[in-house]
Amino acid sequence: MNSDLAAAIVELRRDEVLAEIKSRMAGGQDPLRTLEECRQGMATVGERFQKGDYFLAELMLSAEIFKEAMTIIQPHLAKSRPTKPLAKVVLATLKGDIHNLGKDIMATLLEAHGFEVHDLGVDVPPSLVLAKVREIKPQFVGFSALITTAFPYMREAAEMMREAGIRQEIKLMIGGGVTTAMTKECVGADFQTTDAMEGVAYCLNEMEGRKR
Ligand code: B12
Protein backbone atom coordinates (compact mmCIF):
# COMPACT_ATOMS: atom_id res chain seq x y z
CA MET A 1 0.00 0.00 0.00
CA ASN A 2 1.47 3.36 -1.00
CA SER A 3 2.01 6.01 1.72
CA ASP A 4 0.92 9.67 1.70
CA LEU A 5 4.48 10.58 0.72
CA ALA A 6 4.40 8.18 -2.25
CA ALA A 7 0.98 9.57 -3.23
CA ALA A 8 2.31 13.15 -3.08
CA ILE A 9 5.11 12.15 -5.50
CA VAL A 10 2.63 10.48 -7.83
CA GLU A 11 0.45 13.61 -7.78
CA LEU A 12 3.53 15.81 -8.37
CA ARG A 13 2.98 17.89 -5.20
CA ARG A 14 6.64 18.99 -5.08
CA ASP A 15 6.54 21.44 -2.16
CA GLU A 16 4.59 19.00 0.00
CA VAL A 17 7.02 16.15 -0.80
CA LEU A 18 10.10 18.21 0.06
CA ALA A 19 8.56 19.70 3.23
CA GLU A 20 7.50 16.24 4.45
CA ILE A 21 10.98 14.79 3.85
CA LYS A 22 12.72 17.73 5.54
CA SER A 23 10.45 17.37 8.55
CA ARG A 24 11.05 13.59 8.75
CA MET A 25 14.82 14.00 8.52
CA ALA A 26 14.80 16.75 11.15
CA GLY A 27 12.72 14.46 13.38
CA GLY A 28 15.29 11.67 13.03
CA GLN A 29 13.09 9.26 11.07
CA ASP A 30 14.61 6.34 9.15
CA PRO A 31 16.03 7.70 5.83
CA LEU A 32 15.93 4.24 4.22
CA ARG A 33 12.20 3.93 4.84
CA THR A 34 11.59 7.39 3.39
CA LEU A 35 13.67 6.48 0.34
CA GLU A 36 11.61 3.32 -0.13
CA GLU A 37 8.36 5.35 -0.04
CA CYS A 38 9.78 7.67 -2.73
CA ARG A 39 10.73 4.62 -4.81
CA GLN A 40 7.16 3.31 -4.52
CA GLY A 41 5.86 6.66 -5.75
CA MET A 42 8.17 6.53 -8.77
CA ALA A 43 7.06 2.98 -9.55
CA THR A 44 3.44 4.16 -9.63
CA VAL A 45 4.37 7.07 -11.92
CA GLY A 46 5.96 4.49 -14.25
CA GLU A 47 2.77 2.39 -14.23
CA ARG A 48 0.60 5.44 -15.03
CA PHE A 49 2.93 6.32 -17.92
CA GLN A 50 2.65 2.80 -19.29
CA LYS A 51 -1.14 2.92 -19.10
CA GLY A 52 -1.13 6.25 -20.93
CA ASP A 53 -2.53 8.18 -17.92
CA TYR A 54 0.71 10.19 -17.63
CA PHE A 55 2.81 11.77 -20.39
CA LEU A 56 6.49 12.73 -20.70
CA ALA A 57 5.94 16.06 -18.91
CA GLU A 58 4.68 14.30 -15.76
CA LEU A 59 7.56 11.81 -15.96
CA MET A 60 10.17 14.54 -16.17
CA LEU A 61 8.59 16.46 -13.31
CA SER A 62 8.38 13.40 -11.06
CA ALA A 63 12.03 12.61 -11.84
CA GLU A 64 13.01 16.16 -10.81
CA ILE A 65 11.05 15.88 -7.54
CA PHE A 66 12.66 12.51 -6.86
CA LYS A 67 16.16 13.93 -7.42
CA GLU A 68 15.48 16.84 -5.06
CA ALA A 69 14.14 14.40 -2.47
CA MET A 70 17.33 12.31 -2.76
CA THR A 71 19.54 15.32 -2.09
CA ILE A 72 17.72 15.86 1.23
CA ILE A 73 17.78 12.18 2.22
CA GLN A 74 21.37 11.36 1.19
CA PRO A 75 23.29 13.17 3.99
CA HIS A 76 21.17 11.32 6.57
CA LEU A 77 21.96 7.96 4.96
CA ALA A 78 25.65 8.88 5.10
CA LYS A 79 25.51 9.30 8.90
CA SER A 80 24.67 5.63 9.49
CA ARG A 81 27.34 4.36 7.09
CA PRO A 82 30.30 2.32 8.42
CA THR A 83 33.65 4.14 8.07
CA LYS A 84 35.51 1.32 6.27
CA PRO A 85 33.78 0.33 2.99
CA LEU A 86 32.61 -3.29 2.73
CA ALA A 87 33.57 -3.51 -0.95
CA LYS A 88 33.77 -1.45 -4.14
CA VAL A 89 30.99 -1.36 -6.74
CA VAL A 90 31.13 0.15 -10.24
CA LEU A 91 27.68 1.09 -11.56
CA ALA A 92 26.71 2.22 -15.05
CA THR A 93 23.83 2.61 -17.46
CA LEU A 94 25.21 1.65 -20.84
CA LYS A 95 25.30 3.28 -24.27
CA GLY A 96 22.02 4.59 -25.68
CA ASP A 97 20.21 4.49 -22.34
CA ILE A 98 19.76 7.70 -20.36
CA HIS A 99 17.42 6.43 -17.61
CA ASN A 100 19.14 7.01 -14.27
CA LEU A 101 16.55 6.89 -11.50
CA GLY A 102 16.81 3.16 -10.72
CA LYS A 103 20.61 3.22 -10.90
CA ASP A 104 20.71 6.21 -8.56
CA ILE A 105 18.48 4.39 -6.05
CA MET A 106 20.76 1.35 -6.27
CA ALA A 107 23.82 3.58 -5.71
CA THR A 108 22.23 5.31 -2.72
CA LEU A 109 21.14 2.04 -1.10
CA LEU A 110 24.56 0.45 -1.63
CA GLU A 111 26.26 3.46 -0.05
CA ALA A 112 23.79 3.38 2.84
CA HIS A 113 24.81 -0.24 3.46
CA GLY A 114 28.52 0.55 3.51
CA PHE A 115 29.67 -0.02 -0.09
CA GLU A 116 31.98 2.36 -1.96
CA VAL A 117 30.13 3.20 -5.17
CA HIS A 118 31.74 4.48 -8.37
CA ASP A 119 28.84 5.63 -10.52
CA LEU A 120 29.89 6.10 -14.14
CA GLY A 121 26.55 7.69 -15.08
CA VAL A 122 24.41 7.04 -18.13
CA ASP A 123 25.08 6.42 -21.84
CA VAL A 124 28.39 4.80 -20.90
CA PRO A 125 30.45 3.02 -23.61
CA PRO A 126 31.67 -0.53 -22.73
CA SER A 127 35.30 0.58 -23.16
CA LEU A 128 34.90 3.08 -20.29
CA VAL A 129 33.52 0.32 -18.05
CA LEU A 130 36.59 -1.80 -18.75
CA ALA A 131 38.95 1.11 -18.10
CA LYS A 132 37.26 1.93 -14.77
CA VAL A 133 37.16 -1.69 -13.63
CA ARG A 134 40.88 -1.96 -14.30
CA GLU A 135 41.52 1.26 -12.39
CA ILE A 136 39.21 0.74 -9.41
CA LYS A 137 39.38 -3.08 -9.08
CA PRO A 138 35.85 -3.45 -7.68
CA GLN A 139 34.36 -6.64 -6.24
CA PHE A 140 31.04 -5.87 -8.01
CA VAL A 141 29.96 -4.31 -11.30
CA GLY A 142 26.31 -3.38 -11.81
CA PHE A 143 24.60 -2.45 -15.06
CA SER A 144 21.22 -0.75 -15.05
CA ALA A 145 19.02 -0.99 -18.16
CA LEU A 146 15.65 0.53 -18.96
CA ILE A 147 15.74 0.12 -22.71
CA THR A 148 16.39 -3.16 -24.45
CA THR A 149 18.80 -1.60 -26.97
CA ALA A 150 21.33 -1.33 -24.11
CA PHE A 151 21.47 -5.14 -23.72
CA PRO A 152 24.10 -5.76 -26.46
CA TYR A 153 26.37 -3.18 -24.82
CA MET A 154 26.06 -4.90 -21.44
CA ARG A 155 27.07 -8.12 -23.17
CA GLU A 156 29.95 -6.36 -24.94
CA ALA A 157 31.23 -4.93 -21.65
CA ALA A 158 31.08 -8.40 -20.04
CA GLU A 159 32.94 -9.85 -23.05
CA MET A 160 35.62 -7.15 -22.82
CA MET A 161 36.18 -7.96 -19.14
CA ARG A 162 36.40 -11.67 -20.01
CA GLU A 163 38.93 -11.03 -22.79
CA ALA A 164 40.96 -8.86 -20.40
CA GLY A 165 41.03 -11.80 -17.95
CA ILE A 166 39.31 -9.89 -15.12
CA ARG A 167 35.71 -11.12 -15.44
CA GLN A 168 36.19 -13.93 -12.86
CA GLU A 169 37.42 -11.41 -10.28
CA ILE A 170 34.09 -9.56 -10.14
CA LYS A 171 30.44 -10.38 -9.61
CA LEU A 172 28.38 -8.86 -12.41
CA MET A 173 24.84 -7.71 -11.54
CA ILE A 174 22.21 -6.37 -13.88
CA GLY A 175 19.01 -4.57 -12.93
CA GLY A 176 16.34 -2.23 -14.24
CA GLY A 177 12.71 -2.55 -15.28
CA VAL A 178 13.27 -4.27 -18.63
CA THR A 179 15.80 -6.89 -17.46
CA THR A 180 14.79 -10.55 -16.97
CA ALA A 181 16.41 -13.90 -16.19
CA MET A 182 16.84 -14.28 -19.96
CA THR A 183 18.78 -10.98 -20.13
CA LYS A 184 21.05 -12.30 -17.41
CA GLU A 185 21.81 -15.38 -19.52
CA CYS A 186 22.41 -13.31 -22.69
CA VAL A 187 24.75 -10.89 -20.94
CA GLY A 188 26.48 -13.64 -18.95
CA ALA A 189 25.83 -11.87 -15.64
CA ASP A 190 25.90 -13.48 -12.19
CA PHE A 191 22.73 -11.87 -10.84
CA GLN A 192 19.62 -10.04 -12.07
CA THR A 193 16.86 -8.17 -10.29
CA THR A 194 14.26 -5.46 -10.68
CA ASP A 195 14.46 -4.61 -6.97
CA ALA A 196 17.39 -2.57 -5.64
CA MET A 197 17.10 -4.06 -2.14
CA GLU A 198 17.55 -7.55 -3.61
CA GLY A 199 20.70 -6.25 -5.28
CA VAL A 200 22.02 -4.95 -1.96
CA ALA A 201 21.16 -8.28 -0.28
CA TYR A 202 23.08 -10.11 -3.03
CA CYS A 203 26.20 -7.99 -2.43
CA LEU A 204 25.94 -8.38 1.36
CA ASN A 205 25.55 -12.18 1.02
CA GLU A 206 28.52 -12.43 -1.32
CA MET A 207 30.70 -10.46 1.09
CA GLU A 208 29.47 -12.60 4.01
CA GLY A 209 30.37 -15.73 1.99
CA ARG A 210 33.92 -14.44 1.39
CA LYS A 211 34.48 -14.01 5.14
CA ARG A 212 33.68 -17.68 5.80
C1 B12 B 1 10.97 7.64 -16.10
C2 B12 B 1 11.07 7.12 -17.52
C3 B12 B 1 11.72 7.93 -18.45
C4 B12 B 1 12.37 9.25 -18.09
C5 B12 B 1 13.75 8.98 -17.48
C6 B12 B 1 14.10 9.97 -16.39
C7 B12 B 1 15.39 9.59 -15.71
N1 B12 B 1 16.10 10.64 -15.30
O1 B12 B 1 15.75 8.43 -15.54
C8 B12 B 1 12.44 9.96 -19.48
C9 B12 B 1 11.19 10.75 -19.67
C10 B12 B 1 13.64 10.86 -19.72
C11 B12 B 1 12.40 8.75 -20.40
C12 B12 B 1 12.85 8.81 -21.71
C13 B12 B 1 12.72 7.76 -22.60
N2 B12 B 1 12.13 6.58 -22.38
CO1 B12 B 1 11.54 6.00 -20.63
N3 B12 B 1 10.64 5.42 -19.15
C14 B12 B 1 10.52 5.84 -17.89
C15 B12 B 1 9.62 4.90 -17.05
C16 B12 B 1 8.22 5.48 -17.02
C17 B12 B 1 10.05 4.66 -15.63
C18 B12 B 1 11.49 4.22 -15.46
C19 B12 B 1 11.87 4.44 -14.03
O2 B12 B 1 12.60 5.37 -13.71
N4 B12 B 1 11.31 3.62 -13.11
C20 B12 B 1 11.49 3.77 -11.70
C21 B12 B 1 12.82 3.13 -11.29
C22 B12 B 1 13.04 3.37 -9.80
O3 B12 B 1 12.70 1.73 -11.52
P1 B12 B 1 13.88 0.85 -12.17
O4 B12 B 1 14.68 1.64 -13.09
O5 B12 B 1 13.32 -0.44 -12.65
O6 B12 B 1 14.86 0.58 -10.96
C23 B12 B 1 14.58 -0.29 -9.86
C24 B12 B 1 15.12 -1.70 -10.07
O7 B12 B 1 15.02 -2.16 -11.39
C25 B12 B 1 16.50 -1.67 -9.51
N5 B12 B 1 17.64 -1.38 -10.39
C26 B12 B 1 17.76 -0.47 -11.34
N6 B12 B 1 18.96 -0.47 -11.86
C27 B12 B 1 19.67 -1.42 -11.21
C28 B12 B 1 20.98 -1.86 -11.37
C29 B12 B 1 21.44 -2.88 -10.60
C30 B12 B 1 22.84 -3.35 -10.76
C31 B12 B 1 20.57 -3.51 -9.65
C32 B12 B 1 21.07 -4.64 -8.83
C33 B12 B 1 19.26 -3.05 -9.47
C34 B12 B 1 18.84 -2.01 -10.25
O8 B12 B 1 16.48 -0.63 -8.54
C35 B12 B 1 15.38 0.26 -8.70
C36 B12 B 1 14.63 0.30 -7.40
O9 B12 B 1 14.18 -0.97 -6.98
C37 B12 B 1 9.67 3.59 -17.89
C38 B12 B 1 8.46 2.67 -17.78
C39 B12 B 1 8.58 1.68 -16.66
N7 B12 B 1 7.46 1.32 -16.11
O10 B12 B 1 9.66 1.24 -16.30
C40 B12 B 1 9.89 4.13 -19.30
C41 B12 B 1 10.64 3.28 -20.37
C42 B12 B 1 11.83 2.61 -19.65
N8 B12 B 1 11.10 4.27 -21.34
C43 B12 B 1 11.05 3.82 -22.52
C44 B12 B 1 11.41 4.59 -23.67
C45 B12 B 1 11.18 3.92 -25.02
C46 B12 B 1 11.95 5.88 -23.54
C47 B12 B 1 12.35 6.83 -24.69
C48 B12 B 1 13.08 6.17 -25.86
C49 B12 B 1 11.03 7.50 -25.10
C50 B12 B 1 11.02 8.34 -26.33
N9 B12 B 1 10.28 7.85 -27.27
O11 B12 B 1 11.69 9.35 -26.38
C51 B12 B 1 13.19 7.94 -24.01
C52 B12 B 1 14.69 7.98 -24.16
C53 B12 B 1 15.40 6.83 -23.60
C54 B12 B 1 16.88 6.72 -23.70
N10 B12 B 1 17.59 7.00 -24.78
O12 B12 B 1 17.41 6.26 -22.71
C55 B12 B 1 10.53 2.39 -22.59
C56 B12 B 1 11.61 1.34 -22.90
C57 B12 B 1 11.07 0.27 -23.82
C58 B12 B 1 12.02 -0.85 -24.05
N11 B12 B 1 11.51 -2.06 -23.85
O13 B12 B 1 13.15 -0.71 -24.40
C59 B12 B 1 9.80 2.25 -21.19
C60 B12 B 1 9.79 0.81 -20.63
C61 B12 B 1 8.35 2.76 -21.39
C62 B12 B 1 7.54 1.92 -22.34
N12 B12 B 1 6.79 0.96 -21.84
O14 B12 B 1 7.58 2.13 -23.52
N13 B12 B 1 11.87 7.71 -19.81
Side-chain angles (χ1 to χ4, degrees), residues 39 42-43 46-47 49-50 56 59-60 63 67 91 96-103 105-106 142-149 173-178 191 193-197 199:
R39 190 197 65 76
M42 290 308 296
E47 284 160 21
F49 179 71
Q50 260 171 328
L56 271 183
L59 275 189
M60 305 289 274
K67 271 190 237 160
L91 282 183
D97 191 347
I98 56 148
H99 297 85
N100 66 343
L101 299 177
K103 172 181 62 57
I105 293 177
M106 185 63 197
F143 296 146
S144 179
L146 264 298
I147 51 175
T148 48
T149 51
M173 310 180 278
I174 60 168
V178 295
F191 177 76
T193 183
T194 53
D195 178 338
M197 267 321 293

Side-chain angles (χ1 to χ4, degrees), residues 133 138-141 161 166-172 190:
V133 169
Q139 287 82 357
F140 300 93
V141 174
M161 288 189 272
I166 50 176
R167 172 66 184 87
Q168 74 283 357
E169 288 162 24
I170 55 141
K171 289 290 175 191
L172 178 60
D190 299 302

Side-chain angles (χ1 to χ4, degrees), residues 83-109:
T83 43
K84 189 176 176 292
L86 280 177
K88 294 181 198 170
V89 187
V90 165
L91 282 183
T93 297
L94 293 194
K95 209 166 152 183
D97 191 347
I98 56 148
H99 297 85
N100 66 343
L101 299 177
K103 172 181 62 57
D104 290 358
I105 293 177
M106 185 63 197
T108 304
L109 286 176

